[in-house]
Amino acid sequence: MSETYMTGLDHTARPHRFGIVGAGVISATHAKAIAALPAARLVAVADVVPERARAFAENYGCQAEPDLDALLARGDVDVVSVCVPSGLHAEIGMQAAAAGKHLVVEKPIDVTLAAADRLIHAARAAGVVMTVISQHRFDPGLVELRRLLDAGDLGRLVFGEASTKWYRTQAYYDSAAWRGTWEFDGGALLNQGVHYVDLLRWSMGPLAEVTALCSTQTHQMEAEDVALATLRFSSGAVGTIIASTAIFPGFAQRLEISGTDGTVVIENGEIVHRAFSSELPEPGDRGSQVGTGAIGQAAAANAAALGVASHAAQIADLMAAIDEGREPLVTAESGRDALEVVCAVYESAREDRAIVLPGARGEAQDAALR
Ligand SMILES: NC(=O)c1ccc[n+]([C@@H]2O[C@H](COP(=O)([O-])OP(=O)(O)OC[C@H]3O[C@@H](n4cnc5c(N)ncnc54)[C@H](O)[C@@H]3O)[C@@H](O)[C@H]2O)c1
């Protein structure tokens, strides 16, 4: 991991004191990430189910508050991790921002652009720093891809693909009432696929047009368990998205970025193939590029199997952003960008037509003429 991304892990300023809202699956990752950071302390947790908050507090050595108001009233909470169902992120985040707390909001930013905009506006108005979790941007392969893109090593980007072929059981969707609903979750694309949608958008730039098809193949749920989309980027490049929780037994999450001068393929956060027109690969040297991606492979079939290093790196960056008075590496707006792509896929599938993204058409037409 590059030093840039680890900034904040070692700094010795006054600790940032965290409160977590929502004591479910992902909150454990936040607690472990905070515990791994010398500059962070976990002080309190709240959940609408008080026993969950109590059990969590016991496990992770913090205090359980009876409700959100009590957690937000604490003067010793500086940062709130929002770990509630996705459709509640804006509502809870806005209350925390109004109480002057900095925000770590789990992905996706929320489930509608209107809610995302309300939250972004509230954080800005309150003058708090906000990041939306996209922990895979801090995975080693993505740090390296960012470096290659910034150096222009891939040339003009031509094609980008984000693929999440995962497997979730019906029991997963039945494990909480919010899962798979339009109001609080969305389907395989908005919950599981959004990570690599964010990486694709971050690598390739804004989208101009999306044409999509969604389907619910194997689960009893409101939203889709398969989403497919073809994309035209504002740059003129093209691409595809696939996101599913119906593909047995679950495969590596994959990002493929191709430019005129090279291609990088990432699986589960590690570069598994890279080829540049300027280099003739030595026979056999591909082995050094192949990673096993054990953490991500586990997540392909198991919602609870997540490493904490990349969450820790993102939280460290948020703390450094607060200390240095700068934007975090993953801004609230980029969380909105990923949601915008997902909403365009859903809209295209629902209306059976291509969706032109706001403000993108002119740029795309210019690119097509070049
Ligand atoms: N970054 C990742 O890799 C990752 C992985 C899993 C989940 N997530 C995200 O984290 C969020 C939570 O997912 P989860 O799997 O932990 O869900 P979960 O159902 O396991 O936990 C959610 C918790 O929030 C509590 N809650 C609900 N409404 C609340 C409220 N108003 N106030 C306080 N607590 C409330 C619930 O009682 C529950 O304990 C989702 O947005 C999901 O997309 C991210």
Side-chain angles (χ1 to χ4, degrees), residues 70-133:
L71 184 135
L72 296 181
R74 288 183 70 130
D76 63 351
V77 169
D78 313 306
V79 187
V80 167
S81 279
V82 178
C83 297
V84 296
S86 306
L88 295 171
H89 288 181
E91 186 184 315
I92 302 286
M94 285 166 68
Q95 290 180 57
K101 313 299 185 191
H102 301 292
L103 294 172
V104 177
V105 177
E106 258 303 339
K107 48 55 54 175
I109 183 168
D110 202 291
V111 302
T112 67
L113 290 174
D117 289 340
R118 285 195 296 274
L119 177 55
I120 291 171
H121 181 264
R124 255 196 232 124
V128 299
V129 183
M130 168 176 163
T131 192
V132 176
I133 289 289

Side-chain angles (χ1 to χ4, degrees), residues 13-338:
R14 180 177 71 78
H16 295 268
R17 298 159 303 177
F18 282 74
I20 294 180
V21 185
V25 172
I26 200 61
S27 58
T29 301
H30 285 246
K32 289 175 194 164
I34 291 164
L37 295 168
R41 302 268 180 287
L42 177 59
V43 297
V45 63
D47 194 294
V48 277
V49 182
E51 310 84 74
R52 281 192 198 157
R54 276 198 294 273
F56 184 92
E58 214 161 281
N59 273 342
Y60 296 103
C62 66
Q63 282 183 283
E65 291 296 345
D67 54 34
L68 177 65
D69 287 344
L71 184 135
L72 296 181
R74 288 183 70 130
D76 63 351
V77 169
D78 313 306
V79 187
V80 167
S81 279
V82 178
C83 297
V84 296
S86 306
L88 295 171
H89 288 181
E91 186 184 315
I92 302 286
M94 285 166 68
Q95 290 180 57
K101 313 299 185 191
H102 301 292
L103 294 172
V104 177
V105 177
E106 258 303 339
K107 48 55 54 175
I109 183 168
D110 202 291
V111 302
T112 67
L113 290 174
D117 289 340
R118 285 195 296 274
L119 177 55
I120 291 171
H121 181 264
R124 255 196 232 124
V128 299
V129 183
M130 168 176 163
T131 192
V132 176
I133 289 289
S134 183
Q135 77 267 26
H136 298 304
R137 288 204 202 176
F138 299 82
D139 293 349
L142 275 302
V143 173
E144 173 65 0
L145 173 61
R146 180 79 264 160
R147 191 188 67 73
L148 293 167
L149 288 169
D150 291 346
D153 287 1
L154 270 64
R156 179 174 62 78
L157 296 183
V158 171
F159 179 77
E161 179 168 275
S163 162
T164 302
K165 293 181 181 172
W166 278 9
Y167 181 70
R168 291 285 181 268
T169 59
Q170 184 61 38
Y172 162 81
Y173 285 106
D174 294 343
S175 70
W178 66 278
R179 296 197 192 280
T181 63
W182 287 118
E183 191 177 357
F184 295 109
D185 191 10
L189 180 64
L190 186 50
N191 189 315
Q192 287 79 15
V194 71
H195 287 285
Y196 271 52
V197 168
D198 173 70
L199 300 179
L200 183 70
R201 167 70 178 74
W202 180 58
S203 303
M204 300 289 294
L207 274 114
E209 193 175 293
V210 173
T211 308
L213 184 152
C214 292
S215 166
T216 311
Q217 289 285 324
T218 64
H219 297 100
Q220 298 293 317
M221 61 192 279
E222 256 178 37
E224 89 292 344
D225 60 13
V226 182
L228 300 167
T230 55
L231 317 169
R232 195 159 52 80
F233 293 90
S234 301
S235 66
V238 294
T240 60
I241 293 172
I242 173 165
S244 180
T245 50
I247 299 185
F248 181 83
F251 294 89
Q253 226 169 359
R254 193 174 158 96
L255 179 72
E256 221 173 290
I257 306 293
S258 293
T260 47
D261 297 338
T263 288
V264 171
V265 179
I266 287 181
E267 288 189 358
N268 294 335
E270 294 184 21
I271 295 178
V272 293
H273 298 287
R274 55 197 280 172
F276 300 99
S277 55
S278 57
E279 298 170 359
L280 281 179
E282 297 284 331
D285 80 347
R286 210 183 78 183
S288 65
Q289 312 293 351
V290 174
T292 54
I295 290 165
Q297 277 164 11
N302 177 359
L306 283 163
V308 302
S310 297
H311 264 85
Q314 185 168 351
I315 291 171
D317 173 67
L318 186 272
M319 294 191 298
I322 294 167
D323 292 344
E324 294 162 17
R326 63 161 171 84
E327 285 282 309
L329 289 170
V330 186
T331 61
E333 286 76 12
S334 71
R336 185 194 190 279
D337 289 341

